[in-house]
Amino acid sequence: MFYISDGYIDGLIGEDLQLMDLTTMSMGIEETPGLVECFPKRECVLAGVEEAARIFERCGARAEVLKPSGTRAEARGICLRARGTAGRLHACYKLAQNVMEYSSGIATRTAEMSAAARAVNPAVHVAVTRKHFPGAKALSLKAALAGGASLHRLGLSDSILAFDQHRIFADDFIALIPKMAAAFPEKKIEAEAESPEEAMGYLRAGIDMVQCERFAPAELAAFVKEAKAEFPRAVIAAAGGINAANAAEYAATGVDVLVTSWVYFGKPEDIKMKFSRA
């Protein structure tokens, strides 16, 4: 269950459909019954299938999900089927295709990165940031979940994470850590650190989670060993330039979380939309 409102879906439809499809109207084929079968051209992890189905249905077609988001689908394996008139199908099929292609691209990259990391550290989490394309939060986060990630932050209201941009306004950030914890006792307190010395200072001041920004793998491994010996319950995250190519190297350091936005940016999957007359 991942909530995406009808209003969001309708907004996506309105961007493309606007008022009418002039092509189907000019051809006089609006009421001709048809069928669309959707399938990936290569093996991938699917995402956005349910949203694509809702797009068809909001435009008056009938949709059937055959392979839900999170499924690893083989090439040419049908994941979604939609029935309706040519006018209703053409009103939204390209939008449905775009949603599945971009979402499945994110899900597939996430699964690739997660598999690489967990091959050497089965307990590690790949967590996605809020550095997605503006307006695409819901689809991006759902796609990352479908690929096996967890969510680092939904937004500013769900977690406390102090960056250097925050600390520049504090006279003594270390002294603020107990006050931050007291202000929101049900929340974990997290801070970004740019060196092992800085990170250990935060842990000794009572921080719950430290985010190690652009530590070299060897440096990170040494820090994790030292920090876990003194603070076994602390959560240690690695961030900054982590992707599928280096995820295993960073996971092998023993960190708990790999924080990434890499999965959001890349080539969409290729989803074929095969039309036929019913």
Side-chain angles (χ1 to χ4, degrees):
M1 176 63 186
F2 189 97
Y3 175 67
I4 296 178
S5 71
D6 287 341
Y8 181 82
I9 297 294
D10 288 344
L12 295 178
I13 295 170
E15 287 181 356
D16 194 42
L17 179 58
Q18 298 170 356
L19 296 174
M20 65 193 76
D21 176 4
L22 290 178
T23 306
T24 56
M25 289 181 68
S26 67
M27 293 176 66
I29 60 173
E30 287 182 287
E31 297 304 318
T32 305
L35 170 71
V36 180
E37 292 181 317
C38 316
F39 53 84
K41 290 187 178 180
R42 67 163 198 158
E43 182 182 336
C44 68
V45 177
L46 295 169
V49 185
E50 296 80 10
E51 289 66 45
R54 289 171 63 191
I55 287 165
F56 278 114
E57 289 172 348
R58 297 294 285 180
C59 289
R62 302 185 307 278
E64 178 186 9
V65 174
L66 302 178
K67 296 181 187 296
S69 296
T71 302
R72 180 167 288 278
E74 69 280 6
R76 304 192 68 81
I78 297 172
C79 60
L80 175 65
R81 187 177 285 126
R83 294 179 172 85
T85 63
R88 296 182 186 279
L89 296 176
H90 277 278
C92 60
Y93 90 88
K94 179 56 67 174
L95 171 61
Q97 182 182 36
N98 286 342
V99 166
M100 286 192 290
E101 288 188 336
Y102 281 95
S103 296
S104 297
I106 292 172
T108 301
R109 286 188 292 275
T110 303
E112 176 187 358
M113 183 172 173
S114 296
R118 289 172 180 161
V120 298
N121 182 354
V124 75
H125 284 262
V126 170
V128 293
T129 72
R130 57 190 181 96
K131 195 178 178 180
H132 44 72
F133 191 82
K137 179 191 286 285
L139 292 175
S140 299
L141 295 184
K142 183 184 175 185
L145 286 171
S150 58
L151 305 181
H152 180 52
R153 300 184 85 191
L154 289 172
L156 295 175
S157 301
D158 78 327
S159 58
I160 298 172
L161 173 52
F163 291 98
D164 180 59
Q165 292 90 335
H166 296 99
R167 298 192 296 270
I168 198 170
F169 294 100
D171 294 328
D172 184 357
F173 176 68
I174 292 289
L176 286 180
I177 291 173
K179 297 179 181 179
M180 294 165 68
F184 294 94
E186 295 183 345
K187 297 290 186 181
K188 287 188 174 182
I189 310 300
E190 181 180 1
E192 180 188 72
E194 297 181 357
S195 71
E197 296 75 21
E198 185 178 36
M200 283 301 296
Y202 295 156
L203 290 172
R204 287 168 180 154
I207 211 96
D208 300 295
M209 181 172 177
V210 64
Q211 182 168 299
C212 303
E213 177 68 15
R214 297 192 181 275
F215 285 25
E219 180 183 44
L220 182 61
F223 167 71
V224 170
K225 184 177 180 180
E226 178 187 5
K228 289 291 187 180
E230 190 170 344
F231 303 99
R233 294 176 62 86
V235 178
I236 301 173
I242 300 177
N243 53 56
N246 61 20
E249 186 177 16
Y250 276 95
T253 65
V255 293
D256 303 294
V257 182
L258 300 179
V259 177
T260 187
S261 57
W262 171 81
V263 300
Y264 295 139
F265 308 104
K267 186 177 179 181
E269 288 297 327
D270 196 347
I271 305 291
K272 175 71 174 177
M273 312 291 275
K274 182 180 178 182
F275 277 79
S276 59
R277 294 181 65 163

